Amino acid sequence: MKSQVFRGSGLAAAHIVALALLHYGCGAEGDRSHAMQQTDEQPRAAVTRAEFGQLPDGTPVDAFTLTNANGVVVRAITYGGIITSLRVPDRNGQFDDVVLGYDDLAGYLEENPYFGAIIGRYGNRIAGGRFTIDGQTYTLATNNGPNHLHGGVTGFDKVVWQAEPFERGDSVGVVFSYASPDGEEGYPGNLDVRVTYTLTAANELVFDYYAITDKPTPVNLTQHSYFNLAGDGRGDVLGHQLMINADHFTPVDSTLIPNGAIAPVAGTPFDFRSATAIGARIDQDEAQLRNGLGYDHNFVLNRGDSAVTHAAQVYEPRTGRSMDVYTTEPGVQFYSGNFLDGSITGKAGRVYRHRYGFCLETQHFPNSPNQPDFPSTILQPGDEYRSTTTYVFGVRP
Ligand code: GLA
């Protein structure tokens, strides 16, 4: 497989290497292992590019492999910006892949419940697939029962993004960009989107979202990785300890549309303000859990004065792995993998059974375009959509 390494002491050096490789076409075989095995005392961060596959129409799909000096490795592909693997150490220094997915592009093309993907234009649901801006009603696909979900039939998870790798000091990353044309999936306006993935030396994976439009349009971008901190396919996530920094959540109807209330979590199975096992209350006979078939709800984050909120923390006791989520968004959808039912066989033949993964999708609230009391998701021409979410990976003794 043809691949290229981007590495150096800064962005300029990375560009020079990249240009040289492009110009002379000398991307070496096995560059990724080469990057990992250099003889420096301290391994350095690197980003490599390789072919991953082709769409049926021949469009190439590339994979970017981001490695930091601690050996953490993130691989993301240009199809959907999908994170296909994320290798982090446990408390004994053993690395494992902690995200669900497939070994090859065919898996993602065949059936993908949004494993690892960028979601847009609108993450989560819009009731009835309709909304009105300035007196004009727009109709979207209803691809989730009566509602519109995750950007429609061909959302941002199913398009091929342009991608540029970069290195900045000891961080490496890739900038994904996509021009969504006016009317795509029924949404108004040409929307230019940029999503930057950065892996830092502190084992942070940072998502920076940016968009501009030429007509008012709803925008609610998120990332849909499914995590299992015990390791991909190693069992259900019910023993993971979860903290969500939210005094309130948005209760839903049976089609998962918020009923408009901002309800207190106190005294309900939605109170994750102190770390609690995901499975501790998930099967209680409670109306909201019945509607979600478990957890599939938006939590209203407690936001202090700072722009960034510590939204959530997850800890897996057997491996000691932890993940902290920080975001500028007002909400997070906690989804406990309720629709996984063993019908999907993912990486290395692993079967994804009920609740084998969880998602923490930072976002604005579901159905905001039809809920005037929720924070607005309408991007206006001349304004910039900016949003940042960081997942921090760690271990506890
Ligand atoms: C989101 C939704 C869930 C489900 C998953 C994908 O998290 O809220 O209901 O659709 O995506 O299966």
Side-chain angles (χ1 to χ4, degrees), residues 112-115 119 124-125 144 149-150 224 226 256 292 295-297 333-340 359 361 363:
N112 183 13
Y114 307 99
F115 288 152
I119 306 296
N124 218 313
R125 293 172 177 79
N144 186 249
L149 176 67
H150 290 339
H224 208 303
Y226 286 63
L256 295 175
Y295 296 104
D296 196 351
H297 295 77
Q333 180 88 1
F334 168 45
Y335 170 58
S336 52
N338 311 310
F339 297 121
L340 299 175
C359 305
E361 305 154 52
Q363 55 168 18

Side-chain angles (χ1 to χ4, degrees), residues 75 83-87 96-102 108 115-116 205 223 225-229 231-233 323 347 350 352 391 393:
R75 188 175 64 172
I83 294 176
T84 58
S85 73
L86 198 167
R87 297 182 66 80
D96 208 343
D97 188 353
V98 295
V99 292
L100 279 58
Y102 295 101
Y108 290 102
F115 288 152
L205 180 57
Q223 225 290 337
S225 286
Y226 286 63
F227 293 95
N228 187 328
L229 297 183
D232 168 42
M323 182 175 113
K347 288 180 270 190
R350 295 181 198 123
Y352 298 143
Y391 292 141
F393 298 92

Side-chain angles (χ1 to χ4, degrees), residues 203-207 308 324-327 362 388-392:
N203 295 355
E204 300 157 322
L205 180 57
V206 185
F207 303 102
V308 177
D324 284 273
V325 183
Y326 296 85
T327 189
T362 55
T388 299
T389 291
T390 303
Y391 292 141
V392 188

Side-chain angles (χ1 to χ4, degrees), residues 4-8 10-11 14-15 18 44-50 63-69 72-78 81 83 162-177 194-201 204-208:
Q4 300 165 351
V5 182
F6 304 88
R7 195 174 58 231
L11 197 54
H15 272 157
R44 291 199 336 238
V47 50
T48 65
R49 178 178 202 150
F64 289 84
T65 303
L66 283 48
T67 308
N68 74 5
V72 170
V73 184
V74 179
R75 188 175 64 172
I77 61 174
T78 52
I83 294 176
Q162 298 298 311
E164 282 299 325
F166 66 88
E167 188 199 331
R168 199 170 47 224
D170 48 16
S171 295
V172 289
V174 54
V175 182
F176 290 112
S177 44
R194 213 163 63 206
V195 184
T196 304
Y197 293 2
T198 307
L199 175 64
T200 75
E204 300 157 322
L205 180 57
V206 185
F207 303 102
D208 286 301

